[in-house]
Every structure is written in structure tokens, then in C-alpha cells.
Amino acid sequence: MGTGNGDIELAGVTKSYDGETFAVDGINLKIPDGAYCCLLGPSGCGKSTILRMIAGHEDPTHGEILIGGEDVVGLDPVERRTAMMFQSYALFPHLSVRDNIAFALRVRGLSKAERNAKADAMIEKVHLTEFANRLPSQLSGGQQQRVALARAAITEPRVLLLDEPLSALDEHLRIKMRAELSRMQRDLGITFIHVTHTQMEAIALADMVVVMDQGKIRQSGPAREVYAEPKNRYVAEFIGGQNVISGKVSYINGTRATMAGATYSNIEIPLANGKRLEDGQSLDIAIRRDDIDLVRAGGDLPDGSTSVEGAITGVEYQGTFVKVMMEAAGEEEFVAYVPERRFFEESLSIGDRVLAIWQIDHAHLLA
Ligand code: ADP
């Protein structure tokens, strides 16, 4: 997929700023050349520190960082052939779009004619030709971002590092620029590593999502895997869209088992291939919010399904679906995304007792 040895490997990487606590704590990660990788996690979990160590703005306390198979620790950013795009864009206010984009080439000693030719080709790539002579202050937020991207890409890096690149934009523009980042990455064919704390941004953009928590990786993989098959409660809750229920195995019967908790006794769970369960074992399961159907308590269960009873505590209309919040299975917020038409057929409201029903095989066993 990629074009230039932009595969990255972090091996046993730790970073401590104060010698006591670890901002990054024993990270092992391989990012293939040409991948769009998103580092996702809450503020302070170490994402930017990883980015800065790959860029060469910070050294790891321990561990190796390889780009294209070469250990780059100690090399400066230019030698690493990485480029960074910052959240604030950091454009020069007194330089035109063209001069901003050509700036890095001047530093590298190219002639004016060479600089302008390269800059104009890049300007065309980011669709800014008609704005080439404007100052940054005469551009919209989205256009400024394209300048920042072009300015980083013009040095032909093998890895482009983006630190919260969309967070300064309003919601509408963020979604537009998200698509543009994706297009640019495909055009350039280089590895992108994009730091974000926004789940949907990571899921929409990345070939590879790396979910972090307190300096550690909790799961990494394709977006769909991280979303639909979270490995643990942390990932399920952080990525969202799932309900997590804790309980103990109370009965095992061939291909199915029963789980019980303090407030329920008979949730049926699948025995996933390869996973061994034992009587009395504690476990967490995840059920997607959009896999849950609601009926009034006392209603029938379709074949192959299981349920938990609870009371509706909130209803939010979302257009294509209705978000129904309830207290169930000992979870303070158990949520069902009910298709709009289906919700209004049942005419449920706050305070009603309902059965949250799902297909037994749709439950996902967490580690
Ligand atoms: P994120 O990008 O996920 O928000 P950071 O990598 O910025 O996280 O920070 C990880 C941890 O390291 C935080 O606890 C933060 O306070 C600390 N940290 C980051 N940069 C520095 C620094 N230059 N000096 C000391 N501590 C830092």
C-alpha cells in the first residue's frame, strides 16, 4: 500500500518525564507502511508523547523506535523523514499560502524556481490553486488546515504525524475535513499517524485504531474489530455503542451458558469457539446498543434470544433511531438504540418496565 519504508515499530517503549511516573508504559506496536493509524484515548493517556517520540521531538526513556527497519532514536526529524502537523496549524501569518507551503524547501536549500514548481504542484493537490497568493488570515479554517497539511507533506516525509488535527474545527467542517484527510492519505500513499480523543473520528478514518489508557495499549486493530469485538470493558466503554454486563457463570449446557448477577439470574450467553467457561467464573459480556429490542415486561421472547428487565429512565429522539436509557442488570445506564418506527409502535415512556431483548449469539464475551 505504501511507497517508502514508512513502517513503524515501537518495541518496549517507555517514557517518564519525572523519573517516577510513566507517560508511556511499555508500548509494543507495529504500524504497516502506508497505513492510516489513529491513536485514540482520553486526555493524558500518552498519545502525543508517542507522536513526539516518533517525530524526534522527544526521546524514549527505554525502548526502540524503528522506521523502515532503522532505529531512529537520536536522529533529528529531518533525518527521520517524518513531518508533523499541529492542531494550531502554526502557519506563518505574514507569508502567502504558496510561501508557507514552500518554506520547508527554502530551509532545505532548493532554488526559488524549484520551490515554486513543487509548491504549486502540492497546492493543486490540496485544491488551493485559486488561494495561492492569499494570507492565512484570508482563509477559512478548513483551507488553513489544507495549507498546514500541504506544508507538512511537501518535504516528502515517509510518515506524517497529526496531533488532534481536527479539534479546532466546528462539527460540520470536522466531518468534511475528515474525508479530506482520508483522501490526502490515499493520494500521498504514506503512513499517517493521527492522534485523537474522538472515537468516531478514529473509527471513520483509520485502517488501524490503537486504543490507549494510562500509557498502555488496551487494544489495536481494524476499526470494525475494535468497535464490534472489544477485548475488555475499558475498550467497550471507551469506544461506545455497547452495554457491558458483569456477572458469574451459573450453569453450563453444551453450547450455551447462563449468567447471573446481583439483580438478574438468567441471561443466556453463547459459548464462543475456543473460549472455556467454568461454573462460578466471573465475566463481562458486551451487547451492542443497536442489537437490543425493547418490549413491555411480561412480553414473549423470540427463539434464540435472552433478556434482562429494567425501567426506562430516559428517552432521546435521534432521528433515525431513539436512544432509550434504562437501569438494568446492575448497570446505571443500559442503552438501547431502537429504530425510530419500531420505538413508536411500542409507545414506551419513562418509568415503564421493559424487557431488553437480544439474540444470545450477539452477545460478545470480554476478557
Ligand atoms: P495525551 O496526548 O494522550 O493527552 P500526553 O502524551 O500529552 O497525553 O501526556 C501523557 C502524560 O505525560 C500526562 O500525564 C502529561 O501530564 C505528561 N506530560 C506530557 N508532556 C510532558 C512534559 N513535557 N513534561 C512533563 N510531563 C508531561
Side-chain angles (χ1 to χ4, degrees):
M1 184 160 44
T3 53
N5 298 325
D7 59 298
I8 295 169
E9 181 171 356
L10 276 68
V13 171
T14 49
K15 175 70 184 180
S16 180
Y17 290 101
D18 58 10
E20 283 173 19
T21 54
F22 289 100
V24 169
D25 192 358
I27 295 278
N28 294 300
L29 179 66
K30 283 185 181 175
I31 303 168
D33 185 27
Y36 200 124
C37 173
C38 281
L39 303 181
L40 172 67
S43 175
C45 73
K47 306 177 297 291
S48 303
T49 299
I50 292 183
L51 212 62
R52 291 201 298 270
M53 290 192 290
I54 295 171
H57 301 307
E58 203 76 69
D59 284 329
T61 307
H62 294 292
E64 287 183 340
I65 299 174
L66 307 169
I67 305 181
E70 172 199 13
D71 189 352
V72 295
V73 174
L75 298 183
D76 68 34
V78 173
E79 291 173 298
R80 292 178 189 213
R81 292 183 39 226
T82 58
M84 182 95 131
M85 191 183 115
F86 295 97
Q87 184 183 126
S88 59
Y89 309 147
L91 301 177
F92 299 116
H94 57 288
L95 294 184
S96 68
V97 165
R98 180 181 289 109
D99 290 343
N100 258 289
I101 293 174
F103 185 79
L105 301 178
R106 189 156 85 191
V107 177
R108 282 170 169 75
L110 271 70
S111 74
K112 185 162 179 139
E114 282 174 304
R115 290 195 315 253
N116 283 342
K118 278 196 169 214
D120 284 340
M122 184 55 75
I123 286 168
E124 207 180 308
K125 225 177 204 172
V126 294
H127 306 309
L128 284 172
T129 305
E130 58 187 302
F131 305 101
N133 295 315
R134 290 209 190 165
L135 295 175
S137 61
Q138 297 167 319
L139 301 175
S140 71
Q143 290 161 343
Q144 288 180 27
Q145 169 169 52
R146 281 193 237 156
V147 178
L149 197 61
R151 200 178 56 167
I154 199 151
T155 58
E156 296 177 8
R158 48 186 175 171
V159 181
L160 188 64
L161 305 159
L162 305 104
D163 196 354
E164 298 273 4
L166 302 173
S167 62
L169 306 174
D170 65 46
E171 176 71 16
H172 176 72
L173 199 51
R174 202 155 50 223
I175 290 170
K176 206 169 143 215
M177 292 313 295
R178 193 165 85 184
E180 212 153 305
L181 278 180
S182 173
R183 179 184 65 79
M184 281 292 286
Q185 194 264 343
R186 274 179 279 127
D187 276 5
L188 294 168
I190 60 174
T191 312
F192 272 36
I193 306 181
H194 171 145
V195 159
T196 179
H197 60 267
T198 309
Q199 294 81 349
M200 291 323 288
E201 191 170 305
I203 286 180
L205 279 169
D207 305 316
M208 178 180 186
V209 179
V210 179
V211 185
M212 293 189 57
D213 171 34
Q214 297 181 37
K216 291 192 160 75
I217 294 175
R218 302 298 300 263
Q219 185 168 352
S220 72
R224 181 154 190 225
E225 202 173 288
V226 170
Y227 184 80
E229 295 164 34
K231 281 192 175 155
N232 46 57
R233 181 182 268 268
Y234 176 83
V235 174
E237 290 184 339
F238 188 72
I239 299 281
Q242 304 267 6
N243 293 293
V244 181
I245 301 178
S246 294
K248 281 198 162 108
V249 176
S250 60
Y251 180 70
I252 298 180
N253 166 29
T255 58
R256 297 271 164 79
T258 303
M259 185 170 119
T263 63
Y264 65 89
S265 60
N266 54 353
I267 290 179
E268 287 200 77
I269 55 175
L271 288 180
N273 31 346
K275 233 175 215 170
R276 272 175 192 280
L277 292 179
E278 283 169 29
D279 241 345
Q281 177 185 341
S282 296
L283 110 153
D284 290 340
I285 62 168
I287 304 115
R288 282 167 62 150
R289 292 174 170 186
D290 55 348
D291 275 342
I292 291 173
D293 191 22
L294 298 180
V295 298
R296 277 182 202 286
D300 289 334
L301 287 190
D303 276 353
S305 63
T306 189
S307 70
V308 65
E309 189 177 323
I312 295 181
T313 57
V315 173
E316 270 179 14
Y317 187 62
Q318 309 268 333
T320 57
F321 66 92
V322 179
K323 176 179 179 185
V324 183
M325 288 150 276
M326 45 190 287
E327 242 180 70
E331 297 292 322
E332 259 173 41
E333 199 182 79
F334 191 93
V335 176
Y337 291 159
V338 184
E340 208 249 14
R341 286 182 209 284
R342 169 83 190 122
F343 180 79
F344 290 101
E345 271 166 27
E346 284 281 322
S347 66
L348 298 168
S349 48
I350 294 176
D352 287 351
R353 289 201 69 81
V354 289
L355 287 180
I357 301 174
W358 62 92
Q359 288 293 312
I360 297 167
D361 291 338
H362 285 170
H364 171 71
L365 274 50
L366 301 173

